[in-house]
């Protein structure tokens, strides 16, 4: 059964268990890869140092909040010269380092923030089962990259005068 649910999460993860609860759905997941790249020196290693559980808010499912309970790992860098001896594995298609929400959830919440703003945004996000505080929404909006600037193709007479 779980095979069919694999595509619900990023290709970096496997779902090992689905735990429907009254207020949320918990997806227990683990990274697929046996190895990881050191973020400092880029060296590949398969030497697992330790495990820990990382809880990530994810996109809602059937109107319910979704939490990914990720069995995350710390690795030892295989490069003896590397100053970063132990590192947490990176999952760039899933989540940014230290973030508590998946990248795709953050993108949806940011879209809500851009559409309606911080204060109405948290109400709408709660209604859509992707709760986030208004302050966090505002922070996300302010730190979002600006859209690409499109240079005007028509130069008006005022612009022309200004440039002289
Ligand atoms: Zn390293």
């Amino acid at each position: 059964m779980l095979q069919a649910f694999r595509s619900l999460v990023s290709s970096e993860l496997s779902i090992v268990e689905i735990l429907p609860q009254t207020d949320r759905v918990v997806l227990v997941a683990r990274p697929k890869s046996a190895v990881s790249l050191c973020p400092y020196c880029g060296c590949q290693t398969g030497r697992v140092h330790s495990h820990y559980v990382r809880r990530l808010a994810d996109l809602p499912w059937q109107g319910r909040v979704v939490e990914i309970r990720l069995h995350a790992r710390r690795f030892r860098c295989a490069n003896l010269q590397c100053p970063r001896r132990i590192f947490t594995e990176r999952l760039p298609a899933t989540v940014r380092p230290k973030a508590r929400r998946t990248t795709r959830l953050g993108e949806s919440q940011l879209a809500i923030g851009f559409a309606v703003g911080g204060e109405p945004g948290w109400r709408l996000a709660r209604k859509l089962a992707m709760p986030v505080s208004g302050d966090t929404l505002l922070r996300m909006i302010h730190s979002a990259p600006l859209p690409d600037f499109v240079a005007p193709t028509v130069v008006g007479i005022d612009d022309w005068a200004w440039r002289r």
Side-chain angles (χ1 to χ4, degrees), residues 20 27 33 79 97 122 163:
L27 306 178
S33 178
N79 173 4
W122 78 259
R163 278 175 198 176

Side-chain angles (χ1 to χ4, degrees), residues 38 41 77 82 84:
C38 171
C41 71
C77 184
C82 180
R84 185 76 66 88

Side-chain angles (χ1 to χ4, degrees), residues 2-77:
L2 292 176
Q3 186 74 34
F5 289 113
R6 288 263 156 84
S7 62
L8 289 177
V9 289
S10 81
S11 59
E12 293 168 335
L13 304 181
S14 295
I15 297 177
V16 292
E17 201 174 0
I18 297 174
L19 307 171
Q21 299 178 348
T22 51
D23 63 333
R24 64 187 53 222
V25 176
V26 176
L27 306 178
V28 182
R30 62 168 54 115
K32 281 182 189 168
S33 178
V35 298
S36 190
L37 298 179
C38 171
Y40 191 87
C41 71
C43 189
Q44 178 176 296
T45 176
R47 296 169 63 202
V48 175
H49 169 269
S50 54
H51 294 84
Y52 64 105
V53 175
R54 197 171 164 191
R55 290 162 190 262
L56 305 174
D58 194 22
L59 288 175
W61 191 15
Q62 301 289 322
R64 281 196 244 181
V65 169
V66 169
E67 174 192 313
I68 295 179
R69 204 167 288 171
L70 176 64
H71 288 253
R73 300 168 293 185
R74 293 184 193 88
F75 283 86
R76 286 180 200 280
C77 184

